[in-house]
């Protein structure tokens, strides 16, 4: 039994860490498409082709359920995959619905009509592809009314994190927060809409100030997955082993992952 966790690179490790803690008995197959990261500057067709080929590889590894721990793939490819690509005995789930449900104070799967919620001014930080898809705003509009979302496309941050250049990543985060604040001076909440960004969460929180509540996905996705597997125990697939797959250089990717998670992580070639 194994559940797949997919990302364009290292960002999905923030989700992997949370789901492994929440579900310690479930083996996870992690796939980082590091050779093709970042996805955030690619077009939707490209993201769809890369994501489907990675997920097909995860089926081979014994996964029946794959979480796209990548907002860019969730925004650009998930709906098309679910409509016409995923076999009937498999499931692919994305990462923004749990986050939006938490922000709009909903229980999992509450599909009641949209209503007014406590937060009205929300800052969204995400990749250029996620921002231009407007997928967050679409999902939010199904659940809440009267919420003003200001989105900031955070160009360069994923590349800097993938390259291990955290000084550059910090400078970019601070300049993206400044740019956002020029458009929306007093957000009440900030969404880190890219799974790479929790690696810089302290910098986002510091630059935004203590009055802004920062929502990041890892723990919300872990709760949501635990709930889903409680209701669909058979979706834990047939794979028996946890494994870390990458399309990049396994040695370089293992070193970066070990540095980020502060425990030994060993990737092998996908
Ligand atoms: N971590 C991913 C996301 O959540 C992908 C970032 C990228 O590859 O640009 O959007």
């Amino acid at each position: 039994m194994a559940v797949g966790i997919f990302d364009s690179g290292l960002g999905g490790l923030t989700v992997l860490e949370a789901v492994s803690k929440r579900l310690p008995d479930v083996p996870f197959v992690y796939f980082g498409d590091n050779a093709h990261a970042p996805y955030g500057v690619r077009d939707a067709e490209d993201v769809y082709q890369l994501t489907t080929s990675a997920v097909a590889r995860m089926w081979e590894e014994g996964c029946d359920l794959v979480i796209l721990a990548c907002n860019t793939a969730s925004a650009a490819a998930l709906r098309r995959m679910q409509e016409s690509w995923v076999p009937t005995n498999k499931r692919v789930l994305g990462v923004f619905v749990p986050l939006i449900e938490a922000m709009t104070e909903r229980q999992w799967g509450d599909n009641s009509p949209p209503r007014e919620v406590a937060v009205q001014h929300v800052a969204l930080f995400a990749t250029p592809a996620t921002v231009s898809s407007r997928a967050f705003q679409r999902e939010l509009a199904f659940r809440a009314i009267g919420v003003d979302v200001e989105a900031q496309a955070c160009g360069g941050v994923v590349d800097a994190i993938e390259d291990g250049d955290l000084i550059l990543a910090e400078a970019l985060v601070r300049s993206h927060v400044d740019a956002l604040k020029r458009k929306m001076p007093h957000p009440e909440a900030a969404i880190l809409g890219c799974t790479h960004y929790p690696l810089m969460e302290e910098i986002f929180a510091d630059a935004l100030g203590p009055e802004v509540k920062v929502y990041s996905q890892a723990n919300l996705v872990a709760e949501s997955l635990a709930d889903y597997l409680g209701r669909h125990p058979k979706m834990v697939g047939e794979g028996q082993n946890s494994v870390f797959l990458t399309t990049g250089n396994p040695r370089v990717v293992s070193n970066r992952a070990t540095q980020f998670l502060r425990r030994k992580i060993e990737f092998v070639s996908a």
Side-chain angles (χ1 to χ4, degrees):
M1 47 176 210
V3 171
I5 306 288
F6 166 77
D7 185 41
S8 61
L10 299 167
L13 291 172
T14 59
V15 173
L16 176 89
E17 207 47 3
V19 294
S20 325
K21 279 199 186 117
R22 180 67 182 78
L23 297 160
D25 298 330
V26 174
F28 289 98
V29 173
Y30 186 87
F31 188 116
D33 193 8
N34 302 76
H36 303 109
Y39 278 15
V41 291
R42 294 176 181 274
D43 65 26
E45 180 61 30
D46 214 3
V47 173
Y48 175 81
Q49 294 303 338
L50 291 168
T51 306
T52 47
S53 91
V55 173
R57 175 72 184 82
M58 297 168 95
W59 303 149
E60 283 169 22
E61 212 59 43
C63 301
D64 285 343
L65 167 64
V66 170
I67 310 293
L68 299 187
C70 175
N71 292 272
T72 308
S74 302
L78 180 60
R79 184 177 287 218
R80 183 171 163 198
M81 289 169 74
Q82 287 172 332
E83 282 171 2
S84 59
W85 184 82
V86 179
T88 48
N89 59 340
K90 308 275 188 196
R91 290 285 177 282
V92 179
L93 302 175
V95 282
F96 15 98
V97 169
L99 180 85
I100 290 172
E101 286 178 339
M103 211 188 74
T104 55
E105 303 147 31
R106 283 179 179 246
Q107 301 296 322
W108 292 305
D110 169 356
N111 289 327
S112 59
R115 54 179 180 257
E116 284 186 10
V117 294
V119 285
Q120 285 179 345
H121 302 285
V122 174
L124 167 67
F125 297 94
T127 66
T130 299
V131 168
S132 66
S133 76
R134 296 188 60 81
F136 264 98
Q137 287 91 327
R138 196 176 54 234
E139 291 295 337
L140 188 62
F142 289 136
R143 296 168 177 85
I145 43 179
V147 182
D148 182 17
V149 178
E150 192 64 66
Q152 177 65 29
C154 298
V157 176
V158 168
D159 303 68
I161 292 173
E162 288 286 313
D163 290 345
D165 189 345
L166 298 187
I167 294 175
L168 175 60
E170 171 168 353
L172 288 167
V173 166
R174 290 190 186 280
S175 92
H176 287 305
V177 170
D178 283 349
L180 184 286
K181 281 187 159 175
R182 283 196 290 277
K183 297 179 280 182
M184 179 183 271
H186 302 293
E188 291 148 356
I191 294 176
L192 303 190
C194 168
T195 52
H196 281 69
Y197 300 169
L199 295 165
M200 306 304 291
E201 185 163 346
E202 284 172 18
I203 311 295
F204 274 103
D206 182 58
L208 283 159
E211 60 290 344
V212 182
K213 180 168 167 51
V214 176
Y215 287 84
S216 92
Q217 288 163 319
N219 291 332
L220 298 169
V221 172
E223 277 313 316
S224 195
L225 177 61
D227 177 67
Y228 182 88
L229 290 178
R231 287 181 287 119
H232 304 277
K234 290 213 178 87
M235 291 315 294
V236 189
E238 285 178 358
Q240 298 289 325
N241 301 315
S242 286
V243 53
F244 291 82
L245 302 170
T246 178
T247 54
N249 176 327
R251 192 180 46 80
V252 173
V253 175
S254 302
N255 287 344
R256 298 260 152 78
T258 300
Q259 176 196 348
F260 287 140
L261 294 192
R262 299 192 183 98
R263 65 183 171 89
K264 183 105 186 104
I265 303 286
E266 208 130 355
F267 275 83
V268 296
S269 277

